Every structure is written in structure tokens, then in C-alpha cells.
Amino acid sequence: MRTRTSTKSIIMFLGPAIILLMIFLILPMITSFFISLTNFNTFALADWSKAKFIGFENFIDLFEDELFWKSLFNTFYALIIAMPLTIILALFFAVLINREQTYFKNFFKVGFYLPFVTNTVAIAIVWKWILNPEYGLLNWFLGLFGINGPNWIGDPNWAMPSIIMLVVWKALGYNIIIFYAGLQNIPEFLYEAAELDGASRWQQFLKITVPMLRPTTYFVSVMVLIGYLQLFEEPYMLTNGGPLDSTLSVVLYLYRQGFKFFNLGYASSIAVILFLIIFILTILQTKLKKTEY
């Protein structure tokens, strides 16, 4: 009788979450995979019978699509630079805020976190002004040192670095808070013992802080990896993928194919490939973390 009541309680607590997970996550993933095997387009939206099963033809076309490879290169370009930059800067600022000598800690925490909760449209407008080649704040600042700033979002060579600056700046606040919470959990007696042994601040950081933050760093790196591989809002709002597709990300290309050209079958094949990339890289990160212990 007691076991039956316990099972009933488990179903009551987990049931709604599992149903929502099935409706909003599992079902769309399965549907997306099946649509990727069809030529689903705008005509099939009104009548599903007009969608024809074409097997892996979308995937074959995708691997021959130069624009897809360009978007994949741009996404990994942003990921490879932005990911370590975000983690290192977030840890650096979290350590600074965590110091006993730091005043106005709450002010800095709110200040760093504010961009994360601010609407990307508003942020993009402000950054367009900052990066403007004629009257932008950044070029004005560089001009104080005699440097002629480039056309940040109009030059194909500088457009992606501009996007990276924006995404790193926006992602810093959330990750600083995560690292700060991790730092709070490190026992103080470890640092006291290290000081008695004559360890310098830098040695304490390398031998105590970094190892004790491994689970936090792993969480942050996984979340940052997934977030940057799904880069969309920033290039969409700031450059719309230009100039010359230099900021076209995989998700932006997916959006164009799905909601601009209504090639929903083709767009679904892009979504499936992106899912597989994220899944494989996350598994590799998990394996790498296990080998460290």
C-alpha cells in the first residue's frame, strides 16, 4: 500500500514535467528529423500530403552547399575565440568581486548581469552606435591614441570580431555569477593553510581556486558551447549575416531557409546537423572532464 502511494506521488510530481518535456522538446525533435527527410515547403504547410519523402537528399544537398559551410566556419570562428575569452574574463571578474577588499560588490554584480537580461534589440541599437565608423564611441576612443578605427560592422574582416565583442560582453554577467557562486563554496581554511605554507596569491589561485572550480568551469563551458553554437540574435540584429555573409551563422542560415524561403525540410536538415554537432561536442567535453579526475 505504501509503495503504491509512493509511486503515485512520484508520478504526480514528475508527470507534468515529463509531459511538457515531451510536448516542447522530444516531439519537436522527432518531428524535425522526419521533416528533414521530406521536401516540406510552403505548399505542404496547408496540405501535408504535398510533402514528399526524399530520404537523405536534403543532407546530400547540404554538404554540397557552400553557404552552409561558410555559416559553419563563421559559427566555429566565433566559438573558438568567444568561448575561452568568456570563461577567462568571467573567472577574472568573479575573482575580483569575491575579494574581501572589493567594495560595492552588489553594484558590480548587478552591473555585469544587466546586459544578460537586457533585450538584444536594445543592445544591438546601442552597439551599432558604439561601432559606427564616423561617430561611434569606439572609434572616438581609438582616435585619442591616434588610431584610425575600422568600419567595424561594414568590413567583412571586422564584422565577426564585432559580433564576438558583443556576445562576450552580453554573456559575461551570467557566467560571472556562476563562477562567483563556485568561489563562495571553496573552504577558507584551504587558503589559510596555503598562506601558512608560504604560497603566493598566484600559487593559491592555480593550486586551490582552479582545481576547486572544475565542476563550475565544466558547467560554464558546456553552457557557453551550446549557446555560441546557436549564435543567432546578435548577427541577425547587428549585421543580418553580412557583409558578404561574413557573420552568417548556422542558426541564421537555418532561419533564412525555414522562415524566409520556406524550405522547411532543408531547414530541418540543418537543425539535425547542428543538434548532432552540439551533442558530439558535449559528449567529448564530458569525456574530457572525466579523464581529468
Side-chain angles (χ1 to χ4, degrees):
M1 185 68 183
R2 193 170 178 179
T3 307
R4 188 182 297 175
T5 308
S6 175
T7 307
K8 202 173 176 180
S9 301
I10 291 170
I11 292 171
M12 283 181 67
F13 276 109
L14 292 181
I18 291 173
I19 290 169
L20 290 173
L21 193 71
M22 290 294 292
I23 293 172
F24 293 107
L25 190 66
I26 306 298
L27 196 60
M29 284 170 61
I30 295 170
T31 307
S32 179
F33 176 71
F34 278 109
I35 289 177
S36 72
L37 302 175
T38 68
N39 65 344
F40 204 95
N41 54 27
T42 186
F43 300 108
L45 280 173
D47 184 1
W48 282 42
S49 63
K50 290 183 179 177
K52 191 190 295 180
F53 180 78
I54 56 172
F56 291 98
E57 196 175 309
N58 281 330
F59 293 95
I60 294 168
D61 291 343
L62 194 61
F63 290 126
E64 295 173 351
D65 187 345
E66 288 184 8
L67 214 48
F68 169 71
W69 288 109
K70 176 80 174 174
S71 67
L72 195 63
F73 171 80
N74 290 338
T75 304
F76 273 92
Y77 172 26
L79 174 74
I80 289 168
I81 295 177
M83 185 175 165
L85 208 56
T86 304
I87 293 172
I88 291 168
L89 287 176
L91 178 59
F92 174 73
F93 286 118
V95 169
L96 286 183
I97 293 172
N98 192 51
R99 290 169 73 242
E100 286 183 14
Q101 297 87 341
T102 303
Y103 294 102
F104 310 114
K105 291 184 179 183
N106 288 334
F107 171 77
F108 287 114
K109 280 188 277 185
V110 172
F112 279 116
Y113 196 72
L114 209 53
F116 183 73
V117 294
T118 305
N119 187 283
T120 307
V121 177
I123 288 175
I125 292 170
V126 174
W127 272 79
K128 272 188 177 179
W129 169 68
I130 292 173
L131 298 172
N132 189 284
E134 294 178 6
Y135 52 84
L137 190 65
L138 186 54
N139 278 2
W140 170 81
F141 179 75
L142 292 173
L144 296 177
F145 301 94
I147 301 170
N148 289 321
N151 185 355
W152 293 98
I153 55 177
D155 186 335
N157 296 318
W158 286 101
M160 185 51 86
S162 304
I163 297 288
I164 291 171
M165 278 194 288
L166 171 56
V167 295
V168 170
W169 174 76
K170 193 181 173 202
L172 267 183
Y174 173 79
N175 294 302
I176 286 172
I177 297 299
I178 299 291
F179 273 125
Y180 180 76
L183 289 168
Q184 296 284 302
N185 288 327
I186 300 175
E188 194 59 35
F189 70 83
L190 292 176
Y191 293 106
E192 292 170 359
E195 278 186 16
L196 288 175
D197 289 339
S200 64
R201 290 282 183 187
W202 180 244
Q203 287 172 325
Q204 289 176 34
F205 176 76
L206 289 180
K207 302 293 183 183
I208 298 173
T209 306
V210 173
M212 293 297 285
L213 281 177
R214 271 180 187 162
T216 310
T217 308
Y218 167 71
F219 173 77
V220 168
S221 62
V222 169
M223 298 308 291
V224 168
L225 173 82
I226 294 171
Y228 286 164
L229 282 174
Q230 298 181 68
L231 184 68
F232 172 71
E233 289 178 328
E234 293 81 3
Y236 178 71
M237 296 305 303
L238 209 61
T239 60
N240 197 23
L244 301 175
D245 298 316
S246 59
T247 57
L248 181 68
S249 66
V250 173
V251 179
L252 185 53
Y253 188 50
L254 184 157
Y255 170 80
R256 281 185 185 176
Q257 289 292 334
F259 300 99
K260 197 171 179 182
F261 306 126
F262 292 101
N263 296 324
L264 295 170
Y266 195 67
S268 295
S269 66
I270 299 173
V272 170
I273 294 296
L274 183 61
F275 169 77
L276 289 175
I277 291 171
I278 291 173
F279 182 74
I280 291 168
L281 288 179
T282 307
I283 294 292
L284 285 175
Q285 268 190 310
T286 307
K287 293 275 185 190
L288 194 66
K289 175 178 172 285
K290 284 180 180 174
T291 56
E292 288 177 354
Y293 289 102

